[in-house]
């Protein structure tokens, strides 16, 4: 059975850090939440203010989510976020991510997804992680494939995105036993 650590765990990569979000990240995250592509494909939950969003992602105590902001070493500005919703009873997770406009195209999301999924497999104990994105969002498809999440199929009109419309989604998934 999967088990989420009670507090956020920092993950250091060669040129990136996955760390707990902190209140000081509010201006950067608030700015990200004004970006039209982010609002279309990864909008914050309706009515959620930025500080609430930050504190929810920094709180792992429910055992249902692990999440990080991604920054340069030295806790630089927020470049991206990545989180895994955890169904502990099923040893299953769902990964999500976004990047700020300035960080897109640099491989940051791919590296963050790889690191977060490896943590979810090795530390949390998940067996399978799914990654869904709108078919109309080819950048997320590239991230999924580059991070080792093969395409499994299309989910028809499965999710209502920021424009209020239901979109078809690609379903990608990775198993703990898949190569990195």
């Amino acid at each position: 059975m999967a088990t989420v650590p009670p507090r956020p765990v920092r993950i250091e990569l060669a040129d990136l850090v996955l760390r707990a979000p902190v209140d000081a990240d509010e201006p950067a995250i608030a700015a990200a939440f004004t970006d039209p592509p982010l609002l279309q494909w990864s909008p914050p939950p309706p009515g959620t203010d930025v500080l609430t969003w930050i504190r929810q992602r920094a709180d792992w105590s429910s055992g249902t989510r692990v999440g990080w902001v991604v920054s340069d070493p030295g806790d630089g500005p927020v470049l991206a976020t990545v989180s895994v919703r955890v169904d502990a009873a099923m040893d299953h997770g769902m990964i999500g991510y976004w990047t700020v406009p300035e960080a897109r195209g640099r491989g940051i999301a791919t590296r963050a997804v790889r690191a977060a999924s490896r943590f979810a497999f090795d530390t949390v104990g998940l067996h399978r992680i799914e990654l869904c994105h709108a078919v109309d969002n080819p950048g997320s498809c590239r991230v999924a494939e580059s991070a080792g999440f093969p395409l499994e199929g299309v989910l028809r009109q499965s999710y209502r995105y920021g424009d209020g419309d239901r979109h078809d989604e690609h379903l990608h998934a990775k198993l703990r036993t898949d190569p990195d």
Side-chain angles (χ1 to χ4, degrees):
M1 186 151 139
T3 305
V4 172
R7 286 178 297 286
V9 174
R10 182 181 179 95
I11 300 173
E12 296 192 22
L13 307 176
D15 60 342
L16 296 174
V17 174
L18 281 65
R19 61 175 175 80
V22 295
D23 289 359
D25 294 323
E26 182 182 22
I29 293 171
F33 286 167
T34 66
D35 174 52
L38 189 144
L39 290 174
Q40 170 62 19
W41 304 123
S42 299
T48 300
D49 67 90
V50 176
L51 279 177
T52 300
W53 185 95
I54 287 169
R55 291 171 184 161
Q56 287 172 343
R57 274 156 186 76
D59 181 5
W60 292 13
S61 65
S62 71
T64 60
R65 178 191 305 267
V66 294
W68 301 265
V69 295
V70 182
S71 67
D72 293 320
D75 298 334
V78 173
L79 302 171
T81 67
V82 62
S83 65
V84 181
R85 284 182 292 155
V86 174
D87 181 340
M90 299 296 292
D91 298 335
H92 179 271
M94 175 71 78
I95 197 163
Y97 52 90
W98 53 256
T99 57
V100 299
E102 307 80 48
R104 293 184 187 137
R106 296 173 35 197
I108 291 170
T110 298
R111 290 178 292 176
V113 167
R114 280 187 192 140
S117 58
R118 183 50 41 210
F119 178 88
F121 290 135
D122 295 346
T123 302
V124 176
L126 297 183
H127 175 73
R128 176 182 169 88
I129 300 173
E130 294 180 354
L131 186 160
C132 291
H133 66 82
V135 171
D136 297 330
N137 185 353
S140 278
C141 201
R142 286 189 298 274
V143 168
E145 291 172 347
S146 296
F149 284 73
L151 179 64
E152 292 189 341
V154 175
L155 304 171
R156 296 180 316 133
Q157 297 183 7
S158 61
Y159 190 79
R160 191 178 308 277
Y161 281 88
D163 60 6
D165 293 337
R166 292 190 177 277
H167 288 260
D168 291 352
E169 290 187 300
H170 280 163
L171 168 63
H172 299 259
K174 187 170 186 171
L175 304 177
R176 179 190 331 211
T177 55
D178 289 343
D180 279 336

